Amino acid sequence: MSFARQFIMNSSKRVLIVGCGVTGAYTARILGQYGASLLSIQVVDKALNPGGRMSTHRRGNLSADTGAQVISITPDYWMKHKHHHIDLLNNKILEPMELAVVDNPLTFPHGTQHFMAPKGLDQIATHASKLQNIQVSLNRRISKIELLKSDNKWVVSDDNGVETECDALVLTLPIPQLLKLAGFQETIREIKNDEILNNLNKVNYSSRFCLVLYYDKILESSWTIRYFDDPCIRYVSFDSMKRNSTSVEHGCSVVIHTTIPFAQQYLEQRSEEVVYLAILTRLHSLVPELPPCSNYKLHFWRYCRVEVGYPDSTINALFLNPTSPLILAGDSFSFPGGFDQAIDSAETAARMLADNLLSK
């Protein structure tokens, strides 16, 4: 066992949350508000910034949302999570926008409000995880979990061999990713049964590529967001226009999302240039007015969107071990996913933990 074991700060109740997307960040925030002086909470993520699939890529003074693009809040969810929404608006993380989309295949209930993030959608998770008793550790890829039955503690290891010990563990990663985590399946079999594993194996995600084009100058367009019925490209956004962040001095960015079949076709393609050129060639056929870019970023979302959620649709999180709490949360349990569904999952996970840890 590694001698580099860490203890999460100095507290009688130590909680480790794996994944600093919206679900992980809000689980930490809500739990921290439940027991600010009684819990020490650490959130770890493999990425360099919080956000998860609400990710924002930055290059110099330019940025682009590479995952989720717009926050759409229905009237029901506005009432349910109003305090979270108002907090984001008051802190200027979100701003209202008029959703003008060409060939939009999506429909929304009457009264749905749409929002963009002027500094990038990753700022939602960054803001949510900023509480005094929350410690965020980035650039840490978790590789193994283990339950120490002798003292009812969890030990979580990362790729660098650093082990972290905690009293409660929350895993918000996509379920297919969790199933590959060393120790996870063995733990589930031991504390639950094969039926839980069978249900977890039914969860399925689709994949997409996201291409960001950066320009040194402002581009003009009669539209900001457009969907395409095309074998390669599904969505194009003049991202800087969407977020009102175009600048003569800094230029602008354009975001392209591919279709699911295109991602499947190029799933094992190891040459980034091959994928880039395939997307760019098709893009110039669809949007011929786009000039050559000054730089680009290609990102592959292997776990982009839940296509088949956890079979029990009545739950937003899965509580697996009351003695040493293990909770699975995230969009696998909030199908079809989205910002407010992620908060649903976070609220459920935080309440489960608070009931277990703070009632003892």
Side-chain angles (χ1 to χ4, degrees), residues 143-273:
S143 57
K144 181 181 179 181
I145 65 170
E146 180 184 0
L147 176 60
L148 301 180
K149 290 185 177 180
S150 56
D151 52 5
N152 291 322
K153 306 290 185 185
W154 290 98
V155 176
V156 177
S157 307
D158 66 20
D159 280 351
N160 295 318
V162 176
E163 296 179 340
T164 303
E165 187 173 296
C166 59
D167 299 290
L169 180 61
V170 182
L171 302 173
T172 69
L173 306 179
I175 293 302
Q177 212 168 340
L178 281 182
L179 291 170
K180 298 176 183 178
L181 182 65
F184 177 77
Q185 295 199 39
E186 296 85 346
T187 299
I188 299 301
R189 286 194 184 96
E190 195 167 339
I191 64 178
K192 279 294 182 181
N193 53 51
D194 284 338
E195 184 182 356
I196 295 289
L197 269 181
N198 290 337
N199 284 336
L200 292 174
N201 273 290
K202 293 175 183 176
V203 177
N204 185 42
Y205 282 69
S206 58
S207 303
R208 292 182 191 270
F209 285 96
C210 173
L211 174 64
V212 181
L213 303 179
Y214 290 105
Y215 295 88
D216 294 329
K217 60 183 179 180
I218 294 177
L219 302 181
E220 295 185 0
S221 174
S222 59
W223 49 272
T224 303
I225 300 172
R226 184 168 185 173
Y227 283 86
F228 291 90
D229 184 10
D230 181 76
C232 172
I233 292 173
R234 184 60 178 140
Y235 170 98
V236 176
S237 167
F238 286 81
D239 195 73
S240 302
M241 290 171 58
K242 180 193 76 178
R243 295 189 284 121
N244 298 324
S245 61
T246 53
S247 164
V248 173
E249 181 182 356
H250 299 142
C252 67
S253 57
V254 176
V255 171
I256 301 99
H257 283 188
T258 70
T259 62
I260 296 170
F262 178 89
Q264 291 173 334
Q265 180 183 349
Y266 286 86
L267 191 66
E268 304 303 329
Q269 175 56 250
R270 298 185 181 277
S271 170
E272 179 178 299
E273 186 177 5

Side-chain angles (χ1 to χ4, degrees), residues 49 52 106 130 141 165 169 180-181 225 265 269 286 335 353 356:
N49 297 292
L106 307 177
K130 283 183 177 178
R141 183 188 294 271
E165 187 173 296
L169 180 61
K180 298 176 183 178
L181 182 65
I225 300 172
Q265 180 183 349
Q269 175 56 250
L286 298 172
F335 180 78
L353 278 175
N356 181 278

Side-chain angles (χ1 to χ4, degrees), residues 21-38:
V22 171
T23 299
Y26 270 95
T27 299
R29 185 178 189 84
I30 298 164
L31 186 61
Q33 292 167 342
Y34 274 131
S37 61
L38 302 173

